[in-house]
């Protein structure tokens, strides 16, 4: 666990995505849908290898500006994770384009609720589980980013609820709440 402190946040997110792929793989195996289980298991292995290689390559990097590196990780998460999350869905679904599954994973990860697949009977139960799991992970990601990254920078609306003026520290005797 000590070694994870030096791994960039984006690489940790890729590792979490790889672990999350094991959930629909297990679900599909329990249902006897071996093709979907195999797709998710192999995708998890591939993404794990990617996370390990990136972790080894970037473990000695130290960012000069922590705030900027956190914002770059945030942007990178929204650019890199959806294609990685879409890959097993693309392989498991026949007759669909990568653009469709990419849009589906962007929609799930950002928790917007838009979907390409109106006919829910087309998707196997494990694929529905994957869509829901990605939505849950995306929602948790938004909360973590809001509290851990945006709040300390006085970004994202937190300055409205705080007792201090945006961009400055709190006054010595307390401040007024701008609610």
């Amino acid at each position: 666990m000590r070694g994870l402190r030096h791994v960039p946040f984006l690489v940790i997110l890729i590792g979490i995505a790889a672990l999350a792929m094991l959930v629909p793989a297990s679900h599909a195996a329990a249902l006897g849908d071996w093709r979907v289980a195999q797709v998710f298991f192999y995708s998890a292995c591939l993404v794990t290898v990617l996370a390990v290689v990136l972790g080894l390559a970037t473990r000695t990097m130290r960012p000069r500006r922590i705030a900027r590196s956190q914002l770059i990780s945030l942007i990178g998460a929204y650019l890199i994770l959806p294609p990685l999350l879409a890959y097993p869905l693309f392989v498991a679904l026949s007759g669909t384009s990568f653009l469709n599954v990419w849009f589906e994973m962007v929609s799930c990860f950002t928790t917007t609720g838009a979907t390409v697949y109106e006919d829910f009977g087309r998707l196997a139960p494990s694929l529905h589980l994957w869509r829901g799991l990605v939505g849950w992970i995306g929602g948790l990601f938004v909360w973590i980013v809001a509290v851990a990254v945006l709040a300390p920078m006085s970004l994202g609306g937190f300055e409205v609820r705080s007792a201090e003026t945006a961009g400055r520290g709190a006054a010595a005797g307390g401040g007024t709440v701008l609610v």
Side-chain angles (χ1 to χ4, degrees):
M1 196 56 124
R2 224 172 56 188
L4 284 179
R5 277 191 291 164
H6 301 295
V7 176
F9 183 57
L10 184 58
V11 176
I12 293 172
L13 289 175
I14 293 171
I16 291 170
L19 287 175
M21 289 178 189
L22 295 175
V23 174
S26 302
H27 183 262
L31 293 178
D33 192 354
W34 299 109
R35 183 180 177 282
V36 172
Q38 182 182 21
V39 165
F40 275 99
F41 179 74
Y42 288 159
S43 297
C45 292
L46 180 70
V47 175
T48 300
V49 168
L50 176 68
V52 168
V53 168
L54 287 174
L56 291 173
T58 60
R59 72 173 186 246
T60 58
M61 289 180 32
R62 301 291 176 258
R64 286 182 268 157
R65 293 183 177 155
I66 298 295
R68 186 162 85 177
S69 74
Q70 289 174 340
L71 289 176
I72 289 172
S73 292
L74 175 64
I75 293 168
Y78 283 108
L79 291 176
I80 294 171
L81 285 179
L84 289 177
L85 299 171
Y87 178 73
L89 193 62
F90 175 68
V91 174
L93 281 175
S94 59
T96 189
S97 68
F98 191 77
L99 182 64
N100 284 347
V101 293
W102 173 81
F103 177 80
E104 191 72 26
M105 288 298 104
V106 168
S107 170
C108 289
F109 191 64
T110 59
T111 64
T112 58
T115 185
V116 175
Y117 303 105
E118 293 294 328
D119 181 21
F120 289 120
R122 178 179 180 201
L123 300 178
S126 299
L127 300 180
H128 282 297
L129 175 66
W130 179 238
R131 290 173 63 233
L133 187 61
V134 170
W136 186 85
I137 290 170
L140 181 64
F141 175 71
V142 168
W143 278 103
I144 290 171
V145 165
V147 171
V149 176
L150 299 179
M153 291 184 212
S154 293
L155 296 173
F158 283 95
E159 62 275 4
V160 174
R161 294 197 41 95
S162 69
E164 63 226 23
T165 307
R168 291 193 232 148
T176 59
V177 178
L178 305 171
V179 181

